[in-house]
């Protein structure tokens, strides 16, 4: 099966998909969209039905008791989820909060509803005073996140009550212009009644009448909404009706832990309207079915002792400022998970447990299931039937990292040696012995947990069972008690039935004019002299078993004999690149310690030998062919390290032409930019995999080199690509040498084959990553290191059983660095469910985004980018609409309700949609897009998490003596204070942003200059200064680099400097220059899509 083949489109939601003619892909705005059916409204002055709805779901539950609702307010905008209202134990998103929010397992409604974005005619009502010009109806009535108690819907129109004390981040919220601009002002307070704080939605530009609906810029109108308390026995729902002038209470007081939110909790704190203490204003149309105002109310009413009293005079308020803290915050979710789950070890003994987030530091104790460092799933509770899976549209996938490196305090997998008999397996499905196998008949037989076949236990493996039916030696055998372990493979598992030789490394160095001129060749040869002492080795071995060889090339290839008996190295030139062969066998691959003197002499001579070269043309395919032939002749697997500078235009197999054409962007031919120019590269990759020859490619281009084509061979052989555009020794030396050292030293499995087995009912159907597949089940990897993942998608082929659950077993057969053939086994048991709520309660958004990004990045090879983006948006809308329809308590479609563990799906998905591959800005090159595309394909969950949503760390807010990382803030320009310094990292880039008003002492301590204007913009190294701040910042940069698989080059960016545009590209919650929507606008757009699906 070809890994690049296209994927069938997602199944329909169960009804024809609505067409979205008004949706302008590049910016989620533009023309007017198709409209959702109008929601019926009662006459604005008509009678009000009695309050006799059923009690709201979830209100009677006890709240989690981890603190009180924050006093700060939150306010939501169109598309902004009103998310600043929290029950006990929940907290406002954003930096201002100190209370922790638990990742609750339940799917109770939580958060306030979001106003509708449907299309309705403006209705003018002779009601109340005319509004001010700053009023506009809200777009989203509010939002619910299931998993906590549901508060009241948010208000729209003008907020109730006076401005609050919420400290907003400096800088104005960037107006996206997509859904109208928001006036700047202050946030309104949270009102609370019966334990349900309400939230205000933001004001928008102008409104013709208090009750009219103004269509937003994208065509969908905003349905107005209001805030008020729930009466006992009242349900939420129904579109809300905007009213211009209200008075409200100050923020709510904390409830005691465990308070039941039922009935009336007594009067809230007194209102600001002096004459009328008592309840919050009851709000029209917010609950149950749509209705007009209460009879006898001429205008919106302030608080009154009962809901029957007359209102006080209307009190106009200033326009309200949008509060971005009102929508789900990645920072808050990450912080809460760290606080709640970072202290206890994660014990893997229980089936179907959702692990802590990848951003949390936690210890794993293997008690029968593989550690989440090896396998993470999109959901740990999978639907029992394929119909249920199709309905939910949640992809069932696992991101597997078979050779993942573990932290020092976790043990590597045990190695089990069963001698000549080899590992015990099921006779039918060939699954390996694992903790889930069931021993029967006193231990003489076992039943396979994957296919139910009954097998005999070999005499040498026999052991008695205890009274529970478990073998008495279960805890002495890793394969019976642990989720991950290794078997030593017998000769039957080896090529040609003979044990492999230790692998070899071949360094292939471009010595064309470009490589010599930049100083690359001299730098590399100097580094290799010392680096060869650090080749990977097994366990306690004194020296590495890996042999090395050297080739240089431009239009022709130069092979070197570095046999230990020679006084000087010998060079042999092969100029017939069309028919590549290796001119020597003996002396080409050597042991480093034996040939140390000859190798050093060679590395000294290479830069001098080619110092005066004028050869600018290079070849590429013949170089890899030569390395592969050398490994074949030596009968071993290995890795080629290729250092290459330019487009291979010399006459030779694999010759390329410059086909860079930005005019193809946003056309149907754009996909050709991601496809290889010629089939020669795929053919070559296939031959390399058969030989166990893995390629790591280091590129140093000054212009277009066609990364899409050159990266095919590394990609299909399980290798890596590193790219250093416009390489200069003084600027890029540290980054290149750091990457090279790590790449050469990391532990690699060679000549590997991986297979994923599943229990009856599901099977692996699709695979994503850097590998080759010659059939539909075996993932073939010439090399596999500890950074690479293989993502596997599963589909149902039968009904699953809730009691027995579902099992996965990943088996990787590979050759170790010492030449030992091994099998690494990872097992994982998942729960199965018949209720959709259980599926949504056990999903992991980070893994889901990892899968969706890989799905999309493969999709661009065969489909127009716009179609790929549309597919992602549709699938996300279907996932959330299915939850809304089947799991959330009944309420108006004007509410956006998100599952607790998927509340970050919209913000993360928007980051994927705005990424350079799917929506490139003018400054992004074709090569950059191809490079990022292949990079993401084999990233693990932690890497995609920070790549799509970068970390932004303020440096001067935390105490200097603090040794911990400063708490991150949200990736938005609004979070930047011009008196502060910030670090931003995304796993590949590292920026130090300096505000224009930073204190002079801070500038002096960090940069050793006296003022902001003297700081060099674009600086890539901080001066080493002996003061606490300098040490702290440099220490933090080092620790961030240590966490990532690639060296992140530092770029110092000054506020208002030209480099700031590059920095702002990574502030992913804001609207992007390339037309990507802001988080707020995308949330708004998702809500509209969900409503169209529901209607």
């Amino acid at each position: 099966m070809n890994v690049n083949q296209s994927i069938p489109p997602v199944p329909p939601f169960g009804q024809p998909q609505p067409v979205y003619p008004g949706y302008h892909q590049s910016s989620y705005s533009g023309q007017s969209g198709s409209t959702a059916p109008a929601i019926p409204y009662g006459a604005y002055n008509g009678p009000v039905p009695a309050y006799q709805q059923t009690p709201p779901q979830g209100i009677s539950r006890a709240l989690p008791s981890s603190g009180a609702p924050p006093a700060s307010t939150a306010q939501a905008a169109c598309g902004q989820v009103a998310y600043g209202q929290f029950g006990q134990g929940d907290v406002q998103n954003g930096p201002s909060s100190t209370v922790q929010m638990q990742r609750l397992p339940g799917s109770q409604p939580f958060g306030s509803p979001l106003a509708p974005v449907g299309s309705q005619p403006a209705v003018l009502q002779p009601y109340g005073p005319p509004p001010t010009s700053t009023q506009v109806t809200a777009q989203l009535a509010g939002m619910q996140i299931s998993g906590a108690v549901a508060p009241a819907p948010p208000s729209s129109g003008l907020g109730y009550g006076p401005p609050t004390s919420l400290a907003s981040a400096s800088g104005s919220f960037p107006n996206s212009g997509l859904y109208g601009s928001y006036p700047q002002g202050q946030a309104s307070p949270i009102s609370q009644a019966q334990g349900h704080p309400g939230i205000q939605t933001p004001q928008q530009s102008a409104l013709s009448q208090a009750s009219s609906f103004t269509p937003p810029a994208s065509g969908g109108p905003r349905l107005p909404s209001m805030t008020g308390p729930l009466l006992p026995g009242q349900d939420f729902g129904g579109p809300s009706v905007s009213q211009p002038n209200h008075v409200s209470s100050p923020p709510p007081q904390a409830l005691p832990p465990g308070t039941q939110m039922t009935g009336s909790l007594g009067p809230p704190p007194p209102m600001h309207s002096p004459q009328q203490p008592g309840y919050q204003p009851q709000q029209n149309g917010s609950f149950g079915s749509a209705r007009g105002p209460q009879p006898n109310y001429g205008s919106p009413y302030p608080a009154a002792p009962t809901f029957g009293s007359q209102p006080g005079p209307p009190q106009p308020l200033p326009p309200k400022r949008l509060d971005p803290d009102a929508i789900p915050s990645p920072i808050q979710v990450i912080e809460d998970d760290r606080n709640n789950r970072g202290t206890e070890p994660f014990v893997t003994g229980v089936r179907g447990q959702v692990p802590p987030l990848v951003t949390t530091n936690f210890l794993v104790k293997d008690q029968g299931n593989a550690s989440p460092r090896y396998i993470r799933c999109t959901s740990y509770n999978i639907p029992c039937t394929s119909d249920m899976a199709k309905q939910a549209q949640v992809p069932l996938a696992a991101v597997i990292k078979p050779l993942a490196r573990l932290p020092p305090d976790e043990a590597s997998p045990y190695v089990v040696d069963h001698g000549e008999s080899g590992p015990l397996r099921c006779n039918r499905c060939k699954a390996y012995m694992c903790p889930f196998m069931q021993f029967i008949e006193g231990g003489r037989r076992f039943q396979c947990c994957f296919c139910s076949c009954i097998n005999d236990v070999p005499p040498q493996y026999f052991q008695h069972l205890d009274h529970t039916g478990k073998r008495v030696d279960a805890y002495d055998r890793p394969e019976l008690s642990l989720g991950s372990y290794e078997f030593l493979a017998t000769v039957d598992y080896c090529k040609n039935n003979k044990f492999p030789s230790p692998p070899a490394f071949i360094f292939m160095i471009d010595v064309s004019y470009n490589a010599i001129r930049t100083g690359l060749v001299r730098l590399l040869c100097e580094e290799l002299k010392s680096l060869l002492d650090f080749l990977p080795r097994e366990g306690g071995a004194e020296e590495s078993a890996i042999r090395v060889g050297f080739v240089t090339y431009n239009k022709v290839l130069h092979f070197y004999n570095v046999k230990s008996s020679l006084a000087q190295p010998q060079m042999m030139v092969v100029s017939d690149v069309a028919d590549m062969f290796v001119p020597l066998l003996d002396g080409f691959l050597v042991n480093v310690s034996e040939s140390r003197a000859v190798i050093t002499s060679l590395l000294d001579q290479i830069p001098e030998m080619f110092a005066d070269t004028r050869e600018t043309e290079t070849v590429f395919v013949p170089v890899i062919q030569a390395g592969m032939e050398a490994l074949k002749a030596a009968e071993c697997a290995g890795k080629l390290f290729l250092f290459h500078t330019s487009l291979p235009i010399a006459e030779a197999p694999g010759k390329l032409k410059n086909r860079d054409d930005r005019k193809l962007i946003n056309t149907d031919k754009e996909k050709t930019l991601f496809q290889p120019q010629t089939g020669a590269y795929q053919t070559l990759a296939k031959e390399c995999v058969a030989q166990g020859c893995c390629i790591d490619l280091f590129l140093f281009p000054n212009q277009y080199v066609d990364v899409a084509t050159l990266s095919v061979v590394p990609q299909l052989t399980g290798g890596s690509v590193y790219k250093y555009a416009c390489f200069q020794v003084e600027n890029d030396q540290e980054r290149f040498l750091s990457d090279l050292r790590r790449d050469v030293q990391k532990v690699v499995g060679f000549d590997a084959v991986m297979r994923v087995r599943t229990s009856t009912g599901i099977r692996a159907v699709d695979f994503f990553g850097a590998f080759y597949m010659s059939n539909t089940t075996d993932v073939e990897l010439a090399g596999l290191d500890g950074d690479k993942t293989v993502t596997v998608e599963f589909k149902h082929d039968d009904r699953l059983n809730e009691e027995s659950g579902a099992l996965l077993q990943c088996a990787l057969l590979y050759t170790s660095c010492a030449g030992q053939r091994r099998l690494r086994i990872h097992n994982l048991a998942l729960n199965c469910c018949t209720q959709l709520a259980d599926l949504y309660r056990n999903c992991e958004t980070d893994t889901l985004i990892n899968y969706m990004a890989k799905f999309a990045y493969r999709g661009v090879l065969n489909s127009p980018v716009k179609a790929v983006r549309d597919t992602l948006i549709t699938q996300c809308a279907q996932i959330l609409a299915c939850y809304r329809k089947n799991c959330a308590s009944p309420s108006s479609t004007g509410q956006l309700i998100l599952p607790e563990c998927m509340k970050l799906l919209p913000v993360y998905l928007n980051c994927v949609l705005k990424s350079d591959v799917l929506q490139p800005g003018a400054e992004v090159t074709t090569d950059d897009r191809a490079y990022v595309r292949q990079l993401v394909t084999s990233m693990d969950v932690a890497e995609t998490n920070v790549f799509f949503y970068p970390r932004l760390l303020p440096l001067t807010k935390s105490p200097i003596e603090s040794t911990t990382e400063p708490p991150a803030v949200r990736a938005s320009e609004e979070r930047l204070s011009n008196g502060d310094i910030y670090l931003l990292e995304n796993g590949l880039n590292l920026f130090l942003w300096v505000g224009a008003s930073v204190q002079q002492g801070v500038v002096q301590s960090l940069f050793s200059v006296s003022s902001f204007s003297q700081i060099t913009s674009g600086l890539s190294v901080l001066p080493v200064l002996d003061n606490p701040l300098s040490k702290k910042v440099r220490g933090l940069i080092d620790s961030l680099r240590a966490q990532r698989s690639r060296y992140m080059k530092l770029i110092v960016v000054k506020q208002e400097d030209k480099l700031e545009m590059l920095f702002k590209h990574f502030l992913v919650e804001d609207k992007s220059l390339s037309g990507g929507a802001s988080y707020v606008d995308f949330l708004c757009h998702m809500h509209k899509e969900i409503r169209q699906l529901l209607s």
Side-chain angles (χ1 to χ4, degrees):
M1 162 177 181
N2 183 352
V3 293
N4 293 323
Q5 74 188 39
S6 61
I7 299 211
V10 290
F13 185 68
Q15 60 193 46
Q17 292 301 315
V19 184
Y20 314 127
Y23 170 49
H24 175 57
Q25 181 64 26
S26 68
S27 63
Y28 313 111
S29 81
Q31 313 87 358
S32 59
S34 61
T35 60
I39 295 172
Y41 268 70
Y44 207 84
N45 276 324
V48 179
Y51 296 111
Q52 288 171 351
Q53 276 100 345
T54 55
Q57 304 272 326
I59 289 188
S60 58
R61 298 187 186 162
L63 289 158
S65 52
S66 65
S72 55
T73 71
Q75 187 180 20
C78 126
Q80 239 176 310
V81 188
Y83 185 69
Q85 62 281 45
F86 305 91
Q88 192 105 357
D90 297 306
V91 94
Q92 166 183 338
N93 286 286
S96 56
S97 151
T98 53
V99 194
Q100 312 318 335
M101 179 190 304
Q102 295 178 339
R103 252 177 121 198
L104 291 170
S107 68
Q108 309 98 290
F110 163 59
S112 80
L114 260 166
V117 195
S119 207
Q120 291 207 344
V123 182
L124 299 182
Q125 300 287 354
Y127 176 74
T132 60
S133 64
T134 50
Q135 294 165 287
V136 85
T137 51
Q139 188 145 61
L140 296 169
M143 166 171 190
Q144 292 196 350
I145 309 239
S146 73
V149 179
S155 100
S156 90
L158 283 173
Y160 304 170
T164 68
S165 59
L166 176 66
S168 74
S170 74
S172 62
F173 189 82
N175 275 334
S176 68
L178 294 176
Y179 280 92
S181 59
Y182 306 108
Q184 310 285 316
Q186 289 150 314
S188 62
I190 295 183
S191 56
Q192 168 165 354
Q194 296 157 224
H196 292 262
I199 261 213
Q200 318 279 11
T201 52
Q203 300 320 299
Q204 295 192 298
S205 43
L207 173 69
S208 57
Q209 243 319 358
S211 63
S212 70
F213 316 164
T214 315
S218 76
R222 297 120 160 79
L223 291 186
S225 74
M226 315 185 145
T227 306
L230 287 177
L231 293 173
Q234 217 180 355
D235 201 340
F236 336 112
S240 343
V241 181
S242 156
Q243 301 189 358
N245 303 311
H246 296 295
V247 184
S248 178
S249 73
Q253 306 301 311
L255 291 169
T259 305
Q260 292 275 329
M261 305 274 275
T262 49
S264 170
L265 295 174
M271 306 299 274
H272 288 281
S273 167
Q275 74 276 28
Q276 298 200 347
Y279 286 94
Q280 242 70 3
Q282 167 61 40
Q283 173 174 330
N284 265 330
S286 294
F287 315 112
S289 58
R291 34 174 148 2
Q294 302 260 35
N296 307 324
Y297 281 78
S299 70
Y301 29 91
T306 70
F307 283 103
S309 72
Q310 293 297 313
Q315 301 186 13
L317 291 171
K320 293 294 177 275
R321 177 182 171 282
L322 166 63
D323 178 12
D325 286 335
I327 50 181
S329 157
I331 303 305
Q332 191 63 51
V333 171
I334 288 168
E335 201 53 42
D336 294 338
D337 194 75
R338 280 182 182 156
N339 293 327
N340 294 328
R341 307 197 63 185
T343 49
E344 294 295 314
F346 177 70
V347 181
T348 70
V350 182
R351 181 177 85 188
Q353 278 186 108
V354 182
L357 298 179
V358 284
T359 43
T360 299
N361 278 327
F362 59 98
L363 189 70
V364 178
K365 290 194 172 168
D366 185 341
Q367 291 192 359
N369 282 294
S371 160
R373 305 194 202 287
Y374 295 122
I375 306 181
R376 277 188 179 263
C377 295
T378 53
S379 179
Y380 289 81
N381 201 331
I382 58 181
C384 281
T385 65
S386 58
D387 288 348
M388 198 171 149
K390 279 177 192 154
Q391 187 182 0
Q393 285 288 318
V394 176
L396 304 175
V399 179
I400 305 174
K401 197 175 179 184
L403 297 180
R405 291 188 309 280
L406 300 179
D409 40 7
E410 289 178 26
S412 295
Y414 288 96
V415 180
V416 180
D417 185 359
H418 282 312
E420 285 184 18
S421 61
L424 188 56
R425 306 174 70 175
C426 169
N427 290 329
R428 183 196 289 162
C429 71
K430 302 298 178 193
Y432 293 87
M433 179 53 68
C434 71
F436 311 122
M437 298 287 191
Q438 188 69 45
F439 286 87
I440 53 175
E441 297 180 19
R444 288 190 297 277
R445 297 174 132 191
F446 71 91
Q447 183 167 21
C448 175
C449 51
F450 292 92
C451 69
S452 303
C453 175
I454 291 178
N455 300 268
D456 290 329
V457 173
Q460 71 274 19
Y461 199 77
F462 173 79
Q463 186 53 271
H464 294 286
L465 309 184
D466 64 13
H467 64 285
T468 64
K470 206 167 189 171
R471 281 174 59 121
V472 294
D473 65 349
Y475 292 106
D476 301 329
R477 290 187 176 271
E479 74 272 24
L480 298 181
S481 55
L482 299 177
S484 300
Y485 42 88
E486 289 198 325
F487 291 120
L488 282 187
T490 58
V491 74
D492 305 336
Y493 291 87
C494 304
K495 258 186 196 166
N496 307 326
N497 277 6
K498 66 179 197 182
F499 286 111
S501 309
F505 283 179
I506 304 177
F507 297 90
M508 317 191 88
I509 305 167
D510 176 348
V511 289
S512 65
Y513 174 73
N514 279 337
I516 298 292
R517 181 184 58 82
T518 56
L520 168 65
V521 174
R522 188 174 297 278
L523 178 70
L524 175 59
C525 290
E526 216 33 63
E527 176 63 27
L528 286 178
K529 288 182 203 171
S530 55
L531 187 54
L532 293 177
D533 290 330
F534 298 97
L535 298 177
R537 61 194 75 179
E538 283 288 296
E542 280 188 23
E543 62 177 48
S544 174
I546 292 172
R547 293 170 296 164
V548 297
F550 301 89
V551 173
T552 56
Y553 68 94
N554 40 44
K555 272 183 11 181
V556 297
L557 276 76
H558 322 104
F559 292 80
Y560 296 93
N561 184 345
V562 282
K563 200 172 179 181
S564 56
S565 57
L566 295 173
Q568 285 293 320
Q570 296 172 347
M571 178 165 95
M572 300 183 184
V573 180
V574 177
S575 52
D576 181 8
V577 291
D579 185 18
M580 186 44 64
F581 68 98
V582 180
L584 78 160
L585 292 181
D586 189 31
F588 179 63
L589 294 177
V590 295
N591 180 291
V592 174
S593 55
E594 289 172 10
S595 297
R596 159 71 60 205
V598 192
I599 290 173
T600 304
S601 172
L602 170 67
L603 293 171
D604 283 336
Q605 288 176 39
I606 286 174
E608 308 307 328
M609 230 180 323
F610 298 99
D612 301 323
T613 185
R614 285 288 171 267
E615 184 55 74
T616 56
E617 292 188 357
T618 56
V619 295
F620 189 84
V621 165
V623 184
I624 293 175
Q625 279 172 336
M628 181 182 66
E629 293 295 336
L631 294 176
K632 192 182 279 184
E635 296 186 347
C636 69
K639 183 182 270 199
L640 312 183
F641 295 85
L642 204 67
F643 304 89
H644 189 81
T645 59
S646 56
L647 193 68
I649 54 172
E651 280 304 326
K655 175 185 174 180
L656 300 178
K657 60 179 189 289
N658 188 332
R659 53 160 187 170
D660 189 17
D661 186 0
R662 291 191 61 84
K663 292 198 286 293
L664 297 181
I665 292 176
N666 293 327
T667 68
D668 284 352
K669 289 189 176 172
E670 184 173 4
K671 59 187 178 216
T672 60
L673 297 175
F674 297 110
Q675 297 165 353
Q677 270 189 52
T678 147
Y681 288 78
Q682 272 133 322
T683 308
L684 175 63
K686 188 176 169 183
E687 292 168 8
C688 287
V689 172
Q691 183 48 46
C693 169
C694 172
I695 288 87
D696 280 355
L697 175 60
F698 292 78
L699 285 171
F700 305 86
N702 288 333
Q703 53 197 13
Y704 178 75
V705 288
D706 200 349
V707 173
T709 303
L710 297 188
S711 65
V712 165
V713 186
Q715 176 82 9
L716 293 179
T717 58
S720 306
V721 180
Y722 298 84
K723 181 166 163 282
Y724 310 87
C726 303
F727 179 81
Q728 293 176 302
V729 169
E730 56 276 15
N731 291 337
D732 302 294
Q733 165 178 347
E734 195 179 356
R735 178 173 156 230
F736 163 54
L737 294 181
S738 175
D739 284 344
L740 176 63
R741 286 168 195 149
R742 199 170 177 286
D743 198 60
V744 168
Q745 293 173 36
K746 66 186 171 190
V747 174
V748 182
F750 293 95
D751 210 359
V753 181
M754 181 179 120
R755 184 176 281 195
V756 178
R757 292 179 173 85
T758 54
S759 54
T760 311
I762 54 169
R763 60 194 171 91
V765 293
D766 208 351
F767 300 83
F768 304 81
F771 53 76
Y772 175 75
M773 290 187 83
S774 55
N775 58 37
T776 57
T777 54
D778 294 340
V779 174
E780 298 174 44
L781 303 122
L784 176 68
D785 60 54
D787 298 324
K788 298 280 189 312
T789 64
V790 177
T791 301
V792 187
E793 186 184 6
F794 303 98
K795 289 263 165 72
H796 287 74
D797 56 9
D798 202 350
R799 190 184 172 88
L800 291 166
N801 185 328
E802 252 186 304
E803 284 175 26
S804 54
L807 301 175
L808 313 179
Q809 184 179 79
C810 163
L812 177 78
L813 175 66
Y814 71 99
T815 302
S816 73
C817 293
Q820 199 174 48
R821 202 71 175 148
R822 291 183 178 181
L823 280 153
R824 180 168 287 201
I825 312 295
H826 298 297
N827 303 288
L828 185 65
L830 301 173
N831 285 329
C832 297
C833 59
T834 52
Q835 301 296 319
L836 282 167
D838 292 327
L839 163 68
Y840 283 102
R841 202 177 284 131
N842 291 280
C843 287
E844 197 187 40
T845 300
D846 293 323
T847 311
L848 200 54
I849 288 294
N850 179 285
Y851 165 83
M852 292 173 106
K854 290 172 181 175
F855 177 84
Y857 280 19
R858 186 173 70 185
V860 298
L861 290 171
N862 304 302
S863 307
V865 172
K866 183 181 183 308
V868 172
R869 292 163 50 85
D870 287 346
T871 302
L872 280 186
I873 292 171
T874 304
Q875 181 167 18
C876 180
Q878 287 173 338
I879 290 170
L880 297 176
C882 175
Y883 175 81
R884 177 78 170 75
K885 184 176 174 187
N886 298 288
C887 308
S889 51
S891 56
S892 117
T893 53
Q895 296 176 347
L896 173 57
I897 302 182
L898 300 176
E900 169 65 17
C901 59
M902 279 193 194
K903 63 189 177 193
L904 298 181
L905 187 59
V907 62
Y908 285 163
L909 182 70
N910 190 34
C911 296
V912 175
L913 294 169
K914 287 159 68 169
S915 62
D916 291 340
V917 173
L918 299 182
Q919 195 160 33
E923 73 294 339
V924 181
T925 66
T926 307
D927 273 347
D928 285 336
R929 295 178 74 195
Y931 174 62
V932 168
R933 196 196 73 78
Q934 62 81 31
L935 209 56
V936 168
T937 305
S938 51
M939 275 187 182
D940 70 8
V941 179
E943 286 171 322
T944 51
N945 173 275
V946 77
F947 178 74
F948 290 114
Y949 192 95
R951 279 206 294 174
L952 184 61
L953 308 171
L955 298 186
T956 55
K957 298 253 170 63
S958 55
I960 283 194
E961 61 278 2
S962 164
T963 52
T964 55
E965 259 176 38
V969 295
R970 291 167 71 164
S972 166
E973 188 175 357
E974 188 171 69
R975 306 287 159 169
L976 301 176
S977 155
N978 57 7
D980 206 349
I981 293 181
Y982 296 81
L983 260 182
L984 182 143
E985 65 118 353
N986 74 341
L988 299 179
N989 309 87
L990 189 59
F991 293 94
L992 186 72
W993 183 88
V994 186
S997 310
V998 169
Q999 291 173 355
Q1000 189 181 343
V1002 171
V1003 172
Q1004 185 72 47
S1005 299
L1006 271 185
F1007 301 100
S1008 194
V1009 295
S1010 55
S1011 71
F1012 174 79
S1013 58
Q1014 292 174 296
I1015 299 171
T1016 310
S1017 180
L1019 193 71
S1020 57
V1021 181
L1022 290 179
V1024 178
L1025 303 173
D1026 189 16
N1027 67 66
L1029 182 63
S1030 177
K1031 286 177 181 171
K1032 177 182 173 178
V1033 172
R1034 286 182 289 110
L1036 177 60
I1037 289 171
D1038 290 343
S1039 85
L1040 291 178
R1041 284 172 173 161
Q1043 293 169 28
R1044 304 296 169 212
S1045 61
R1046 294 179 180 231
Y1047 184 88
M1048 298 184 291
K1049 179 181 167 184
L1050 178 71
I1051 300 176
V1052 174
V1053 177
K1054 292 163 69 177
Q1055 189 175 2
E1056 308 291 328
D1057 186 79
K1058 61 180 186 296
L1059 272 174
E1060 200 182 26
M1061 296 315 290
L1062 178 61
F1063 171 77
K1064 285 181 180 175
H1065 176 69
F1066 297 98
L1067 300 178
V1068 290
E1069 287 199 20
D1070 300 339
K1071 185 173 191 273
S1072 69
L1073 285 174
S1074 55
S1078 69
Y1079 175 18
V1080 175
D1081 292 323
F1082 183 69
L1083 200 54
C1084 202
H1085 178 73
M1086 281 310 303
H1087 186 221
K1088 185 172 145 197
E1089 300 274 313
I1090 291 164
R1091 293 184 66 231
Q1092 283 179 313
L1093 288 172
L1094 292 174
S1095 60

